[in-house]
C-alpha cells in the first residue's frame, strides 16, 4: 500500500483501497477493486509503534499520565499487551504504586485517592481481554505487596490506605456482573484471610480483641461497603460478609461494622448497656438494618431471620438500655418497628412491649418526631390482639408502665442527693411532657 504525501494520518487504517490490473473481457477492460478492513491492514502492514525501540516507547509512556495510558491501552491488542508488561516492571510499580498513606494533609489524601481511582481505570482497561480469574491475579499481584492494604498490618491511626483501596476496587469492578463480583469477594478473602479474621473476632467476647474489631470494621466499611453510593451494590457486599455465619454471629458482625464508636476509636459495647445514646450513635446501624431487610424477598432471608438478628443485636454484650432499643426501632421506621413489637405481642411479652413503647414515646419527644406516629404504632399493635379484653389489658399494662418508669426516674433523681444530675431530672421532665402529648393525641383519636 502506498501513502499519498500530505494525506492526514486519521484516514490511514480506516480502510484502504487497492487497484489491481485491468482484466480483459469481451466488453473491454474493467477495473477490479478490493476493500481492505482495518484488521487486514494491521496484519499486512507493520505497526507504527513496533518500529519504535522499546526504550524510546517506555520514555513516551513515562511522559503520559495514568489516565492517558489507560486510553492508549485500548488502541490495539498489541498495545494492550505491551502496557500490561510495562505496568509489571519494578520501575513503574515503584513510581506509580504509591504507599504514602500517613501524616498527609487533606489535599495530599485527596490526590492519592484520586491516583488510585485512575489506577483502577488503567487496570480495568489493560486487562479487558483476560478472563476474570487472570485479571484478578494480574491486578492484585501489583497491590498485594502494599502492607497498609492488608488487614492488621498497619497500626498508624491516620492511615487512609483502606479508603484508597476501596476507591480502586470500586472503579475496577464497576459494571461487572454478580458472578464476577462473587469471584472478586472470594479472591479478596483468600488474599487477606478475611474469613479467618472475621471468625476470630465474632467468636471472641465483645471488646476483648478491640484492635482486630476496629481493623475488620475499617477494612469492610472502607474497601467493600462505603465506596458504593447505590444500595443494591452495598447490599450485595454486606450479604457476602454476613451470610457465611449463623444469625447470632451475623448480629455480632453487624454491630462491629456499624455500631457506635467511642471518641478514642473503639466500639461502644458497654455504652449501649449503661446509658441512652443520641440518635447519631445508632443512625448507621439503623441504615444497615434497613438496607438488609428492606427486601425480604432475597433468597435465604425471612421475617423470622430479621427478628432473630434484631433480638440478638439488642443483647450484645448484655441487654441494652431500653432507650437505645427504642431509638433503634424508631430509626428503623414503622414497618420494621411494628414487625418486631408485633412478634413480641404474639409471644405474650406484654411487659417488655409496654416498656419499649413508653421509651419510644420518650424518644419521639426527645428527638422531635410527631407523637401521632407513636399513637398509630400503638393502634397497630392493638390489632394483634383478637378480643376486646386482650386489647384493654395491653392498654392497661402500657399505662401502668408509664407510672412505673416515671417513678424510677424520680426515685433515681432524689436518691442520694442526685438533684445535681441535671440530665436525669431533664429526662424526667421530658417523659412527663411526652406522656401528656401522647395521651392528648390518643384521646383526640377517639373523640374525632
Amino acid at each position: 500500500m502506498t501513502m499519498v504525501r500530505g494525506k492526514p494520518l486519521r484516514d490511514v487504517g480506516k480502510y484502504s483501497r487497492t487497484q489491481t490490473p485491468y482484466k480483459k473481457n469481451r466488453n473491454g477492460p474493467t477495473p477490479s477493486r478490493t476493500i481492505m478492513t482495518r484488521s487486514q491492514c494491521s496484519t499486512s502492514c507493520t505497526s507504527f509503534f513496533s518500529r519504535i525501540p522499546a526504550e524510546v516507547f517506555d520514555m513516551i509512556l513515562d511522559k503520559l499520565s495514568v489516565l492517558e495510558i489507560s486510553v492508549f491501552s485500548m488502541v490495539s491488542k498489541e498495545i494492550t499487551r505491551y502496557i500490561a508488561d510495562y505496568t509489571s516492571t519494578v520501575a513503574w510499580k515503584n513510581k506509580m504504586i504509591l504507599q504514602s498513606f500517613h501524616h498527609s494533609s487533606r489535599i495530599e489524601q485527596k490526590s492519592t485517592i484520586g491516583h488510585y481511582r485512575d489506577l483502577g481505570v488503567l487496570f480495568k482497561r489493560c486487562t479487558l481481554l483476560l478472563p476474570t480469574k487472570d485479571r484478578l491475579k494480574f491486578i492484585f499481584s501489583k497491590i498485594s505487596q502494599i502492607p497498609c492494604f492488608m488487614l492488621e498490618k498497619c497500626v498508624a491511626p491516620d492511615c487512609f490506605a483502606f479508603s484508597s483501596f476501596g476507591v480502586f476496587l470500586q472503579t475496577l469492578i464497576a459494571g461487572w456482573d454478580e458472578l464476577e463480583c462473587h469471584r472478586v469477594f472470594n479472591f479478596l478473602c483468600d488474599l487477606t484471610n478475611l474469613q479467618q479474621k472475621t471468625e476470630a473476632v465474632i467468636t471472641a467476647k465483645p471488646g476483648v480483641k478491640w484492635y482486630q474489631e476496629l481493623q475488620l470494621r475499617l477494612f469492610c466499611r472502607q474497601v467493600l461497603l462505603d465506596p458504593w453510593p447505590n444500595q443494591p451494590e452495598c447490599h450485595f457486599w454486606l450479604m457476602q460478609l454476613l451470610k457465611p455465619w449463623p444469625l447470632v454471629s451475623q448480629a455480632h458482625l453487624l454491630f462491629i461494622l456499624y455500631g457506635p464508636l467511642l471518641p478514642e476509636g473503639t466500639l461502644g459495647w458497654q455504652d449501649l448497656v449503661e446509658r441512652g445514646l443520641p440518635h447519631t450513635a445508632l443512625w448507621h446501624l439503623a441504615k444497615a438494618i434497613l438496607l438488609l431487610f428492606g427486601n425480604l424477598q432475597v433468597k435465604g432471608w425471612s421475617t423470622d431471620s430479621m427478628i432473630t438478628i434484631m433480638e440478638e443485636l439488642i443483647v450484645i454484650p448484655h441487654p441494652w438500655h431500653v432507650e437505645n432499643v427504642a431509638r433503634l426501632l424508631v430509626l428503623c421506621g414503622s414497618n420494621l418497628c411494628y414487625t418486631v413489637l408485633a412478634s413480641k405481642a404474639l409471644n405474650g411479652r406484654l411487659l417488655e412491649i409496654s416498656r419499649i413503647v413508653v421509651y419510644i414515646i420518650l424518644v419521639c419527644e426527645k428527638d422531635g418526631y410527631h407523637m401521632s406516629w407513636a399513637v398509630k404504632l400503638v393502634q397497630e399493635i392493638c390489632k394483634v390482639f383478637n378480643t376486646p379484653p386482650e386489647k384493654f389489658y395491653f392498654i392497661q399494662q402500657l399505662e401502668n408502665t408509664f407510672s412505673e418508669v416515671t417513678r424510677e426516674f424520680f426515685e433515681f433523681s432524689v436518691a442520694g442527693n442526685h438533684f445535681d444530675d441535671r440530665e436525669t431530672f431533664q429526662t424526667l421532665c421530658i417523659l412527663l411532657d411526652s406522656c401528656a402529648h401522647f395521651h392528648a393525641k390518643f384521646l383526640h383519636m377517639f373523640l374525632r
Side-chain angles (χ1 to χ4, degrees):
M1 181 180 70
T2 59
M3 184 179 295
V4 179
R5 187 183 305 273
K7 189 172 183 178
L9 284 175
R10 62 175 178 271
D11 291 336
V12 177
K14 184 178 181 182
Y15 64 84
S16 295
R17 188 177 71 183
T18 60
Q19 186 168 326
T20 60
Y22 286 93
K23 294 182 180 179
K24 293 182 179 180
N25 58 28
R26 65 182 62 179
N27 296 323
T30 57
S32 174
R33 296 175 179 177
T34 59
I35 302 297
M36 292 183 66
T37 64
R38 183 184 297 175
S39 59
Q40 288 171 332
C41 283
S42 65
T43 57
S44 62
C45 308
T46 305
S47 168
F48 168 77
F49 295 107
S50 66
R51 304 174 200 168
I52 301 176
E55 294 82 1
V56 176
F57 199 15
D58 286 352
M59 290 173 63
I60 294 172
L61 293 178
D62 286 340
K63 297 296 183 181
L64 300 179
S65 68
V66 173
L67 277 182
E68 289 170 337
I69 295 174
S70 74
V71 174
F72 187 37
S73 70
M74 297 188 292
V75 168
S76 68
K77 292 181 181 179
E78 182 184 3
I79 298 298
T80 300
R81 285 193 293 268
Y82 191 93
I83 289 178
D85 293 339
Y86 171 73
T87 59
S88 299
T89 61
V90 174
W92 186 87
K93 286 191 285 188
N94 288 341
K95 178 183 176 183
M96 291 297 180
I97 306 297
L98 305 180
Q99 299 192 40
S100 54
F101 301 112
H102 307 147
H103 311 301
S104 303
S105 66
R106 292 185 66 87
I107 295 176
E108 290 170 333
Q109 289 183 24
K110 187 176 180 180
S111 174
T112 301
I113 291 173
H115 177 74
Y116 272 94
R117 182 181 289 106
D118 294 346
L119 286 177
V121 176
L122 171 61
F123 286 125
K124 187 186 190 79
R125 289 172 172 171
C126 74
T127 61
L128 195 60
L129 301 177
L130 297 176
T132 301
K133 187 176 180 181
D134 294 337
R135 292 180 84 177
L136 294 174
K137 283 184 178 179
F138 175 83
I139 293 165
F140 285 104
S141 67
K142 307 291 183 293
I143 64 172
S144 60
Q145 304 305 313
I146 303 175
C148 291
F149 278 8
M150 300 296 108
L151 274 163
E152 301 174 21
K153 296 294 184 182
C154 178
V155 295
D158 62 341
C159 182
F160 62 96
F162 288 162
S163 296
S164 301
F165 192 8
V167 167
F168 171 83
L169 184 66
Q170 190 267 344
T171 306
L172 175 69
I173 66 174
W176 288 21
D177 62 35
E178 191 169 308
L179 180 60
E180 290 176 315
C181 290
H182 275 291
R183 289 173 179 163
V184 172
F185 181 75
N186 292 334
F187 197 92
L188 277 176
C189 287
D190 293 338
L191 181 70
T192 62
N193 293 321
L194 181 61
Q195 300 287 50
Q196 294 88 333
K197 293 181 183 297
T198 300
E199 183 178 16
V201 169
I202 62 179
T203 55
K205 187 177 179 181
V208 172
K209 297 187 174 183
W210 63 268
Y211 172 70
Q212 289 82 353
E213 289 173 353
L214 189 59
Q215 279 285 294
L216 181 63
R217 177 192 178 102
L218 291 175
F219 182 86
C220 293
R221 288 283 299 271
Q222 296 179 8
V223 176
L224 297 175
L225 299 169
D226 293 349
W228 298 98
N230 298 320
Q231 285 193 354
E233 289 88 352
C234 189
H235 180 272
F236 170 82
W237 292 108
L238 186 55
M239 287 286 292
Q240 302 313 302
L241 291 167
L242 294 177
K243 70 181 183 181
W245 312 107
L247 294 177
V248 175
S249 299
Q250 287 182 23
H252 193 152
L253 181 56
L254 200 60
F255 189 100
I256 290 172
L257 296 178
Y258 290 101
L261 284 178
L262 298 177
E264 56 268 28
T266 57
L267 285 162
W269 298 100
Q270 214 48 44
D271 278 29
L272 282 165
V273 176
E274 295 173 353
R275 61 188 180 89
L277 299 181
H279 75 278
T280 52
L282 295 167
W283 174 239
H284 292 291
L285 187 57
K287 281 179 65 178
I289 293 169
L290 285 172
L291 178 66
L292 266 182
F293 301 115
N295 180 16
L296 288 175
Q297 279 69 48
V298 177
K299 185 178 179 180
W301 292 90
S302 65
T303 302
D304 289 340
S305 61
M306 180 269 289
I307 291 172
T308 301
I309 288 180
M310 287 293 291
E311 293 282 3
E312 294 294 336
L313 184 64
I314 61 177
V315 295
I316 299 175
H318 303 291
W320 289 8
H321 191 290
V322 187
E323 184 175 335
N324 293 323
V325 177
R327 183 165 280 114
L328 180 63
L329 289 174
V330 170
L331 289 171
C332 286
S334 303
N335 291 338
L336 195 143
C337 181
Y338 167 74
T339 302
V340 172
L341 294 179
S343 172
K344 293 179 185 293
L346 290 171
N347 291 314
R349 296 157 64 178
L350 292 186
L351 285 173
E352 185 181 354
I353 297 173
S354 300
R355 196 166 184 84
I356 292 175
V357 169
V358 168
Y359 274 91
I360 284 176
I361 293 167
L362 174 64
V363 167
C364 286
E365 186 72 21
K366 269 189 173 183
D367 297 351
Y369 294 101
H370 289 292
M371 196 57 69
S372 57
W373 183 85
V375 172
K376 290 177 182 177
L377 178 66
V378 172
Q379 278 184 282
E380 292 300 315
I381 295 173
C382 281
K383 293 177 183 178
V384 174
F385 304 103
N386 297 320
T387 64
E390 288 177 329
K391 294 178 181 181
F392 177 74
Y393 182 71
F394 167 63
I395 296 298
Q396 189 179 43
Q397 188 66 56
L398 182 61
E399 295 301 326
N400 290 340
T401 306
F402 258 120
S403 300
E404 183 181 336
V405 173
T406 304
R407 191 181 307 112
E408 287 174 3
F409 274 107
F410 178 76
E411 289 175 352
F412 182 78
S413 64
V414 298
N417 297 317
H418 278 91
F419 275 114
D420 291 337
D421 188 352
R422 297 295 302 169
E423 185 178 351
T424 303
F425 185 73
Q426 185 180 17
T427 302
L428 173 61
C429 294
I430 295 172
L431 178 63
L432 293 172
D433 288 340
S434 67
C435 180
H437 293 155
F438 172 79
H439 285 97
K441 287 285 184 183
F442 201 73
L443 289 171
H444 181 253
M445 177 186 68
F446 286 106
L447 294 173
R448 281 187 300 182

